[in-house]
Amino acid sequence: MKKHNFYAGPSILPQFTIEKTAEAIRNFADTGLSVMEVSHRSKEFVAVVDEATKLFKELLNIPDNYSVLFLGGGASTQFAMIPFNLFVKKAAYLNTGAWSKKAIKEAKMFGEVDVVGSSDDKNFSYIPKGYTIPADADYFHITTNNTIYGTEIKHDIDSPVPLVADMSSDIFSRPIDVSKYAVIYGGAQKNLAPAGVTFVIVRNDILGKVTHHLPTMMNYQTHIDKESMFNTPPVVPIYAALQTLKWLVDKGGVEEMHKTNVYKAGLLYDEIDRNTLFKATVEDSEDRSLMNICFVMTEGNEDKEKAFFEYATSKGMVGIKGHRSVGGFRASTYNALPVESVEALVATMQEFEKENR
Ligand SMILES: *Cc1c(COP(=O)(O)O)cnc(C)c1O
């Protein structure tokens, strides 16, 4: 039976990425060696990093005064690297969920943090609005897509201070205006590559202002100066990321991705809104994520949750269990998820409704 992969992360990757990476694991760039066993400083591998950087810049229209880095440590290490590199006297954060909270916790080790808005009061089921960003903050940090709760800031916001964004789970899902951000970062394992590589897009002139000690590996400038080769970068995930970037180019780039993502999410939200057994946890369509779609059983139907999970599993749905802090279900509809998988889930929900009326 065909499997429909709705995992939140690590998550579905293009078949192209998987096949090309498998080939390079056996024979990389006709070297007769595996990509796992060649020097990261070999000309063949340096070419991989160079091309991945180039495609990153092309796909996201990244201006020349920005650097693209491929690091280890996951997005979670960035929670500390951001204040290490940018925190002078005060930072502002928007609290939109578990990942924001973790980022805030790290920033607090550096000094005053102004949490300008929070949706904690309603289990992070909406994006806070009408908050004020203090003009004297060194930077303002947002999590654009809240993977666990299924909310998303789907447009580039205006910020009077340098804007920093965790885009772990919506990078390359839509066009973005990079010039509005000082730093964009994320773990690759949601929409780009296997776990292990972390991307950072950083505006060069934002650096060099902090007065505290900055450990070498925590300093973005270290990695900019050595083009992500200060230490051994995660070579296999970078190789895989390059394949996804090529796939994105071939598919028409982020504009085309966005169209398909809007279509896929629309199919599923429409069914959730129509189906008498299910309801979305995020009510406001403006805040609904295009990447992680969370839904629960409607009132009076809570007892059917386990039955639906088993039914969906029998139809080939994988990874639709909601995060434990939300419950119910979460279907992640990343770039690589085909429309057919969303259609299959919608059909499964309709059949289940018929059988359980
Ligand atoms: C998954 C995720 C993280 C954590 O990423 P790691 O690479 O595991 O550290 C951080 N932020 C968001 C929005 C995520 O989805």
Side-chain angles (χ1 to χ4, degrees), residues 175-227:
I176 50 172
D177 179 356
V178 175
S179 71
K180 285 192 156 189
Y181 300 84
V183 185
I184 297 171
Y185 68 87
Q189 69 274 21
K190 312 283 165 54
N191 217 6
L192 182 63
V197 62
T198 310
F199 64 85
V200 180
I201 303 165
V202 52
R203 201 177 74 215
N204 300 325
D205 69 2
I206 195 80
L207 303 175
K209 294 176 184 155
V210 299
T211 47
H212 52 239
H213 291 293
L214 195 41
T216 309
M217 276 295 285
M218 289 284 127
N219 189 342
Y220 288 134
Q221 199 61 52
T222 303
H223 303 287
I224 293 172
D225 292 346
K226 298 287 180 187
E227 295 177 341

Side-chain angles (χ1 to χ4, degrees), residues 43 184 258:
K43 72 173 189 319
I184 297 171
H258 185 233

Side-chain angles (χ1 to χ4, degrees), residues 9-35:
S11 40
I12 189 165
L13 289 169
Q15 205 51 40
F16 177 82
T17 300
I18 295 168
E19 274 157 23
K20 288 289 172 187
T21 306
E23 276 171 31
I25 288 203
R26 282 186 223 100
N27 179 11
F28 168 52
D30 282 326
T31 54
L33 302 170
S34 170
V35 67

